[in-house]
Amino acid sequence: MKFSKETRQRAIEKLQERELDLLIIGGGITGAGVAIQAAASGLETGLIEMQDFAEGTSSRSTKLVHGGIRYLKQFDVEVVSDTVKERAVVQQIAPHIPKADRMLLPVYDEPNSTFSMFRLKVAMDLYDLLAGVTGTPLANKELTKEEVLEREPQIKAEGLLGGGEYLDYINNDARLVIENIKRANEDGALVASRVKAVGYLKDENGKVTGVKAEDVLTGKTFEIKARIVINTTGPWSDVVRNMDNADAPILQMRPTKGVHLVVDSSKIKVPNATYFDTGLGDGRMVFVIPRENKTYFGTTDTDYHEDLAHPTVTKEDVDYLLEVVNNRFPEAKITLADIESSWAGLRPLISGNNASDYNGGDNGAISDESFDNLIATVSRYLNKEASRDDVTEAIVSIESNSSEKSPSTISRGSALDIDANGLVTLAGGKITDYRKMAEGAMQAIIEILAENYGRRYTLVNSKTYPVSGGELNPSNVESELETIASLGVKRGLELADARYIANVFGSNAPRVYNLAKDLEAAEGLSLRETLVLHYTMREEMVLTPVDYFLRRTNHLLFMRETLDDLIAPISNEMAKFLGWTDEEKAAHLADLDKVLAESDLRAMKEAN
């Protein structure tokens, strides 16, 4: 189904013509999750996003559907339980996006280490128990020092005690967002990027009945009427809630910034994602993850008080990560000059998320007595000497040492709030939990529609409702993608290119291949690049080169060395298809150069 510049314009027109059941403000993963469930359940649904879809937080994660073993560090067991279960659900409904992988966690004999070997084993066993993979090929494995070094010869041997391997999933965060939104569009949602909410419509009782919106591309303002408006804007949640609430602002969010740096895989060779303490005694942990022919590492975790729309990588961020990674991989000797690309993103943390009953809360730092009691109870449970109830009792009896929390110890809990003016806000959470968060919000929304408006809907079973491109057998994904790739070969693609398209677009890949009936390779582009570009412009609302290079593909991040040669032919093809003027084309190229300068750390390197 078309989802393009033209459908955007039609959506804007229709948004002004009808009263919606639900208007969603925000097109990141949270809004996308609400949109797919609302549209599939038959609600008259609209979604507006002030930037490109996933342009904020949801394209700037660590790119894992992460089980959250680090939350066992604080024993946020409820969060971990929800997360590992939801991770399995996401793999079912979007089987072409998350891919199962093994995470390696080395343990060092250092002050303030997160895990000892014993504590890691207990944490991994509890993690597997919560994930339901105990006794399966996906179960964890304890590793000796020698086994860790065999897997990763470059890793620091001094002080290494051993480690563990456990199940995790790599992810393409921005692709997960767009596939949810595409399905919502297919099911009738009216969706438009680059439309900003600038105010609220209200009735005589002060209840929100819609929004005043601005088309960012034209500057025109218009009204959208809706029975319910939901705010799913992540780090912007407070800003959106307070658009006409300046006298008594709600200040719920505590965003933190995370940074990731990309180098060629020849600098650090890791066969699997690796997760370790920084070695600085600061309570943080860092990932090193292979991707394409690159290795990326992060993240930092610092409170953020600057421009929400424009978090940047600072010299302090780079120095910190280089110190940590060069310490753990002493032969790598990575410098600023080795960094090929980078990204900074915000985590939409909720301040003071103690005992949140919506999606798990943060228990803070726990006392040694509580920690040891829980470890002992879990060990006895695994040896069949204690019951599950005993484990539960040990968990709920955890005592907190301190109410003060650093950014690294704040749980990624979420919150669902309905303000006095009727505005619904769904905030916080993790990308892994997006479906469950949306489900909780939709249950409340459907109740409001029934009670206040007599409009009755049955909520779709979102655990089995696939995203766009996800109509594959989750237990046989690789085989099905290989079969799909063979269709691309019949359309004239090389097998490697057909496989690339199948892995990115899943069950939508044949739609990409079929464009070859009417398209030849554009000047300066391969057939693969031509087909992917046209598909994303026609069916994924790509409007700029940055949309394409950064969020519909990861070319800018993980194939940086080939991007410069593609800029001119890609922009030329986009200009023809989208009807740009010379001035518009120049503006888009200037925007791309600005994004590249930031990702490349150009100014930082020039000043070094």
Side-chain angles (χ1 to χ4, degrees):
M1 184 174 181
K2 299 299 182 186
F3 187 53
S4 62
K5 179 181 177 181
E6 287 72 26
T7 60
R8 174 187 179 274
Q9 186 56 42
R10 286 199 296 272
I12 290 173
E13 292 168 1
K14 291 180 180 178
L15 284 169
Q16 300 173 68
E17 295 171 357
R18 62 187 69 173
E19 182 180 18
L20 303 172
D21 288 315
L22 178 66
L23 175 65
I24 302 158
I25 306 174
I29 191 60
T30 306
V34 174
I36 190 174
Q37 293 187 34
S41 302
L43 278 70
E44 292 258 8
T45 304
L47 182 147
I48 56 174
E49 162 58 46
M50 68 177 182
Q51 305 178 109
D52 182 29
F53 306 115
E55 186 167 341
T57 292
S58 297
S59 62
R60 299 167 181 264
S61 72
T62 304
K63 304 188 186 299
L64 299 169
V65 183
H66 189 35
I69 199 170
R70 75 171 178 148
Y71 296 117
L72 291 178
K73 174 181 164 186
Q74 287 89 244
F75 279 89
D76 282 353
V77 178
E78 186 178 356
V79 170
V80 177
S81 178
D82 284 347
T83 299
V84 293
K85 291 172 184 174
E86 277 303 299
R87 182 181 63 189
V89 173
V90 173
Q91 199 276 328
Q92 296 288 311
I93 61 176
H96 61 305
I97 300 179
K99 302 292 196 312
D101 199 7
R102 306 288 289 179
M103 180 76 72
L104 173 65
L105 199 160
V107 175
Y108 285 87
D109 182 13
E110 295 172 337
N112 301 314
S113 291
T114 300
F115 295 109
S116 65
M117 287 299 296
F118 174 69
R119 288 182 173 185
L120 174 61
K121 178 58 178 171
V122 172
M124 290 193 304
D125 285 343
L126 179 56
Y127 184 85
D128 284 0
L129 183 70
L130 296 170
V133 298
T134 302
T136 75
L138 300 176
N140 74 77
K141 182 178 181 181
E142 193 172 9
L143 303 176
T144 65
K145 174 180 178 178
E146 291 71 26
E147 288 172 324
V148 173
L149 291 172
E150 182 181 354
R151 284 163 170 76
E152 297 192 3
Q154 284 185 290
I155 204 165
K156 184 178 182 179
E158 181 184 354
L160 180 64
L161 298 174
E165 281 187 339
Y166 60 92
L167 176 66
D168 223 323
Y169 285 78
I170 60 173
N171 183 38
N172 189 325
D173 47 10
R175 293 293 320 166
L176 187 60
V177 174
I178 194 63
E179 298 289 36
N180 274 271
I181 285 178
K182 282 161 62 181
R183 177 66 79 191
N185 173 69
E186 291 167 17
D187 288 338
L190 301 175
V191 182
S193 62
R194 295 175 169 87
V195 173
K196 183 178 182 179
V198 294
Y200 293 114
L201 307 177
K202 292 186 176 181
D203 65 14
E204 62 275 9
N205 298 315
K207 296 293 185 181
V208 170
T209 59
V211 303
K212 301 172 186 175
E214 177 189 351
D215 183 341
V216 176
L217 300 184
T218 65
K220 294 180 180 178
T221 58
F222 58 96
E223 295 183 350
I224 307 173
K225 297 180 176 62
R227 297 175 182 90
I228 299 175
V229 177
I230 185 169
N231 166 19
T232 60
T233 56
W236 287 268
S237 294
D238 289 349
V239 175
V240 171
R241 290 175 89 172
N242 296 325
M243 277 197 299
D244 62 353
N245 194 33
D247 294 336
I250 297 168
L251 300 175
Q252 181 186 45
M253 305 306 295
R254 181 187 175 181
T256 66
K257 186 181 76 169
V259 166
H260 298 80
L261 309 177
V262 183
V263 297
D264 190 78
S265 59
S266 62
K267 300 300 297 183
I268 304 179
K269 292 185 181 296
V270 289
N272 301 98
T274 305
Y275 190 34
F276 48 76
D277 284 311
T278 63
L280 303 178
D282 56 8
R284 297 177 183 171
M285 297 184 77
V286 164
F287 292 95
V288 175
I289 302 173
R291 193 94 174 214
E292 310 293 341
N293 295 312
K294 308 299 176 186
T295 301
Y296 66 96
F297 49 89
T299 172
T300 60
D301 208 359
T302 53
D303 280 310
Y304 187 79
H305 305 288
E306 300 173 47
D307 182 4
L308 295 175
H310 198 209
T312 58
V313 179
T314 66
K315 184 68 162 56
E316 183 181 14
D317 297 324
V318 172
D319 289 345
Y320 174 82
L321 285 174
L322 292 184
E323 178 184 5
V324 169
V325 171
N326 284 327
N327 174 53
R328 284 290 183 243
F329 295 86
E331 299 304 313
K333 298 181 173 58
I334 298 171
T335 67
L336 173 61
D338 295 316
I339 299 169
E340 296 185 3
S341 55
S342 65
W343 70 91
L346 302 182
R347 301 182 181 89
L349 304 184
I350 295 175
S351 182
N353 187 245
N354 262 358
S356 164
D357 62 0
Y358 182 65
N359 196 32
D362 175 31
N363 293 308
I366 64 174
S367 67
D368 288 340
E369 182 180 357
S370 294
F371 186 95
D372 291 338
N373 178 56
L374 182 54
I375 289 287
T377 306
V378 172
S379 298
R380 289 191 295 111
Y381 173 79
L382 294 170
N383 290 325
K384 299 184 173 16
E385 297 170 359
S387 69
R388 191 182 182 94
D389 288 342
D390 292 330
V391 176
T392 301
E393 184 177 346
I395 291 168
V396 299
S397 65
I398 286 174
E399 299 174 358
S400 174
N401 270 337
S402 172
S403 60
E404 290 295 317
K405 305 179 203 59
S406 74
S408 294
T409 59
I410 292 180
S411 172
R412 302 287 292 280
S414 59
L416 177 66
D417 297 299
I418 304 175
D419 295 339
N421 62 10
L423 177 69
V424 180
T425 295
L426 179 59
K430 307 181 297 300
I431 195 167
T432 314
D433 301 332
Y434 84 93
R435 186 215 60 86
K436 183 177 181 180
M437 291 170 58
E439 181 181 59
M442 283 303 305
Q443 288 168 346
I445 288 164
I446 284 176
E447 288 180 8
I448 294 170
L449 288 171
E451 292 175 6
N452 296 354
Y453 301 96
R455 297 176 67 84
R456 305 189 184 281
Y457 298 98
T458 299
L459 184 59
V460 67
N461 181 1
S462 55
K463 289 184 177 181
T464 60
Y465 194 71
V467 304
S468 185
E471 293 175 337
L472 302 164
N473 181 352
S475 62
N476 196 30
V477 177
E478 290 186 8
S479 175
E480 292 204 9
L481 291 178
E482 193 68 15
T483 299
I484 290 173
S486 68
L487 301 176
V489 174
K490 293 178 181 177
R491 289 292 185 192
L493 287 158
E494 296 292 330
L495 179 58
D497 289 341
R499 283 173 171 162
Y500 170 86
I501 289 172
N503 275 280
V504 172
F505 299 102
S507 59
N508 284 326
R511 300 172 69 90
V512 185
Y513 304 147
N514 286 342
L515 293 173
K517 291 187 295 185
D518 302 313
L519 291 172
E520 296 180 354
E523 184 177 355
L525 299 178
S526 66
L527 180 59
R528 181 188 97 175
E529 200 76 51
T530 302
L531 298 181
V532 170
L533 174 62
H534 273 269
Y535 176 80
T536 58
M537 289 191 293
R538 298 174 192 211
E539 301 200 26
E540 295 192 344
M541 207 176 283
V542 159
L543 301 178
T544 74
V546 177
D547 293 351
Y548 178 73
F549 282 126
L550 184 55
R551 288 177 289 274
R552 302 305 184 274
T553 70
N554 280 320
H555 208 124
L556 192 150
L557 298 179
F558 302 125
M559 294 174 273
R560 177 65 183 89
E561 71 279 8
T562 65
L563 188 141
D564 289 344
D565 291 338
L566 292 173
I567 291 174
I570 288 287
S571 60
N572 289 339
E573 194 69 8
M574 293 187 74
K576 284 194 294 184
F577 185 81
L578 297 173
W580 293 342
T581 64
D582 290 343
E583 291 77 14
E584 287 172 328
K585 181 179 177 181
H588 288 309
L589 287 173
D591 287 342
L592 175 61
D593 187 66
K594 182 178 178 182
V595 170
L596 284 172
E598 290 188 356
S599 176
D600 293 349
L601 305 179
R602 196 181 297 168
M604 198 181 300
K605 290 174 180 177
E606 290 172 353
N608 195 39

